[in-house]
Amino acid sequence: MSFDGGSDRGDGPDDGSGRGDGTEPEQRFPESATERSAMLGALISASHLSTLETLPQHLSEQAARVGLTDVKIYLVDLQQDLLTPLAPHPPPAGGEGLRPEEISVEGTVAGRAFQHGEVLPASPGDRDHWWVPLVNGTDRLGVLRITAPDADEAAQLDMRRLAGLVALMVVSKRGLSDSYSRLVRRRRMDVATEMEWRLMPSRSFATESLMISALMEPAYEVSGDVYDYAFDGRIAHFALFDAMGHDTAAGLTGNLALSTARNARREGADLPQTAAAVEDVLVEQFSGDQFVTGILAQLDVTTGALRWVCCGHPPPVVVRGRHTFHLDRPPAPPMGAGFGGPEDFCSTELEPGDRLLLYTDGITEARSPAGEEFGLGRFLDFLLRHQADELPVPETLRRLIRHHLEYHQGRLDDDATILLAEWHGPIGLPTGEVKDRVGLPPVPGGRRED
């Protein structure tokens, strides 16, 4: 069964063409293309007046027109551990144990589809039910479960395209849906964290020249860490702030710092001017009682020129092959403390394939229950070892933060945030290779759709 391969609803004997009238397969395509176009168009039309809660019903009705049945949307939770079916009126977060039909990311076929970006049958002996990654851009949202008996390669490709449209629809609706927030949360979230998750960009982004992935823990109690990035086609902008304290005031300080930096950047400020703007706003608001450490950086993707300012924060690290380089320069004071901002920026040249790593001290200075510090060395060693696994970058970071949490027995005393940017050189990489690195689903047959 396939959008491009026709329908199995003919009344005559099945001659392999799907029409039952002996017509050559090539004559089926216009009809099947029309069915597919009508199905996708109907979903788009329905989305204008629909909500996230009504999306599963619209999806089931329209997908059935082309032979895809029992389509179900599973969304990944905030910490990317569990996949939960989208249903209206979910209970508030905070319950214990698995919810009905919830699936673990670890050790399941659905989880593997999510982790590796693969369209997979439910089992080697079951090619009637399929798991399809649900990805918006390169941001992993969850998976689709689709019933499609004996789906061929063309049908698998069409399932992936349908999942792409569904992902766009989920993202367009989730901001106004409390159901989405309840589904992706496994614990109650504090107010500071509520503010910060609303403010920050998605956790993954990629073009042919640049790949960005970020993670933040503790996901429900982070108070002062915030990250940001933006890309104008040539210059990639990065920001990472760590506010003083672990309370709502820290959350307000981090939010104010990030919003000020965005505003200054969009008004054309350079890096020192942006840091000065953050300094001035925080001093005006808190009179020096609240401050942030942080890094502001810019990468010219046409040349590899990297500029940054470091204000009381751990310096950036460049990962080049099996080696790491600390971009250690004398830092400027923290922003908001009333000591002024940096007078100039630092600069270096990246090489194609370099990874720029920004992090907060919650990654390196947190201690295990036995008092042993996690340390930057352990952090970088994990990253280097898992490069050889050729996992998608977002999956590598997911495993890194899981390792960090396990080391601390699930309890962090400080916020831990990572932002990883990989530069692919002035020419960039072929689209198919970039998709492979970020974990976009392959075209059936082992190819990737370019």
Side-chain angles (χ1 to χ4, degrees):
M1 188 286 309
S2 160
F3 297 149
D4 290 334
S7 139
D8 59 0
R9 295 186 291 244
D11 295 328
D14 183 7
D15 62 357
S17 70
R19 293 180 59 90
D21 59 1
T23 306
E24 290 297 320
E26 289 74 15
Q27 297 183 27
R28 302 177 319 186
F29 182 79
E31 180 181 349
S32 62
T34 300
E35 291 173 349
R36 178 176 63 188
S37 177
M39 183 269 293
L40 297 176
L43 278 174
I44 293 171
S45 296
S47 72
H48 294 300
L49 299 177
S50 69
T51 64
L52 182 71
E53 291 77 9
T54 60
L55 177 57
Q57 178 183 348
H58 292 308
L59 177 59
S60 294
E61 291 173 353
Q62 299 305 325
R65 297 170 59 172
V66 292
L68 302 180
T69 60
D70 300 324
V71 181
K72 185 170 290 188
I73 301 169
Y74 284 75
L75 299 174
V76 73
D77 74 306
L78 196 59
Q79 294 182 298
Q80 300 183 332
D81 290 327
L82 299 165
L83 297 160
T84 305
L86 174 58
H89 315 302
E96 298 295 331
L98 291 177
R99 299 175 183 174
E101 299 186 69
E102 201 160 53
I103 301 170
S104 173
V105 169
E106 297 293 341
T108 65
V109 178
R112 182 183 169 196
F114 172 82
Q115 291 173 296
H116 298 272
E118 299 176 341
V119 178
L120 297 174
S123 69
D126 180 1
R127 301 188 66 82
D128 291 344
H129 304 95
W130 300 81
W131 293 105
V132 185
L134 194 62
V135 184
N136 177 56
T138 60
D139 192 27
R140 305 182 299 175
L141 307 178
V143 293
L144 290 185
R145 184 183 186 275
I146 300 177
T147 298
D150 296 320
D152 59 15
E153 290 187 354
Q156 294 174 45
L157 175 58
D158 287 322
M159 286 190 283
R160 185 169 74 89
R161 288 169 172 164
L162 176 62
L165 175 59
V166 172
L168 288 171
M169 296 172 71
V170 168
V171 170
S172 73
K173 302 297 180 183
R174 67 182 179 183
L176 299 176
S177 171
D178 284 347
S179 295
Y180 180 86
S181 297
R182 288 180 170 185
L183 278 169
V184 302
R185 297 180 186 181
R186 296 298 301 171
R187 292 164 44 199
R188 298 187 183 279
M189 180 177 288
D190 64 31
V191 174
T193 309
E194 185 82 49
M195 291 189 297
E196 296 186 357
W197 279 119
R198 283 283 186 173
L199 186 66
M200 291 181 292
S202 64
R203 291 185 280 195
S204 182
F205 169 84
T207 69
E208 285 82 357
S209 58
L210 181 69
M211 182 166 23
I212 302 169
S213 193
L215 278 179
M216 186 172 67
E217 285 286 350
Y220 299 95
E221 298 169 352
V222 66
S223 53
D225 281 13
V226 286
Y227 67 83
D228 191 27
Y229 63 82
F231 187 48
D232 64 12
R234 175 176 177 178
I235 304 297
H237 304 269
F238 310 104
L240 189 64
F241 297 107
D242 183 357
M244 179 190 77
H246 305 286
D247 52 13
T248 303
L252 289 168
T253 305
N255 273 255
L256 186 55
L258 192 153
S259 297
T260 302
R262 281 180 178 168
N263 178 259
R265 184 186 73 225
R266 291 165 180 170
E267 294 295 323
D270 61 19
L271 293 175
Q273 291 169 341
T274 300
V278 175
E279 159 82 1
D280 292 344
V281 168
L282 293 184
V283 169
E284 179 182 357
Q285 183 66 36
F286 300 111
S287 302
D289 293 332
Q290 288 287 134
F291 62 84
V292 299
T293 68
I295 293 177
L296 299 166
Q298 296 175 344
L299 174 63
D300 187 333
V301 300
T302 66
T303 65
L306 176 69
R307 297 178 175 181
W308 77 95
V309 294
C310 185
C311 300
H313 198 84
V317 174
V318 171
V319 180
R320 180 173 298 162
R322 301 293 301 174
H323 303 282
T324 59
F325 304 90
H326 299 257
L327 302 181
D328 204 354
R329 304 288 190 276
M335 293 166 280
F339 299 125
E343 296 181 358
D344 202 356
F345 56 81
C346 306
S347 63
T348 191
E349 300 290 328
L350 297 186
E351 295 183 3
D354 279 355
R355 291 180 171 185
L356 175 68
L357 179 65
L358 310 181
Y359 61 95
T360 61
D361 58 14
I363 286 287
T364 57
E365 295 180 4
R367 295 182 180 273
S368 70
E372 184 179 355
E373 191 173 85
F374 189 77
L376 183 60
R378 190 190 305 269
F379 172 74
L380 292 174
D381 179 66
F382 184 96
L383 190 63
L384 290 172
R385 283 189 289 109
H386 281 71
Q387 277 188 163
D389 295 340
E390 297 184 351
L391 292 169
V393 172
E395 179 60 20
T396 297
L397 279 196
R398 190 190 75 88
R399 296 188 183 196
L400 173 57
I401 207 72
R402 297 275 71 71
H403 175 65
H404 187 64
L405 286 168
E406 289 170 4
Y407 181 82
H408 299 289
Q409 297 182 10
R411 181 68 182 177
L412 298 180
D413 294 325
D414 194 7
D415 303 341
T417 303
I418 310 166
L419 191 152
L420 183 68
E422 181 177 299
W423 181 55
H424 301 149
I427 300 176
L429 295 175
T431 302
E433 186 172 347
V434 175
K435 289 183 176 183
D436 186 66
R437 291 191 181 201
V438 297
L440 289 178
V443 173
R447 299 174 294 110
R448 296 208 170 240
E449 187 178 26
D450 297 338

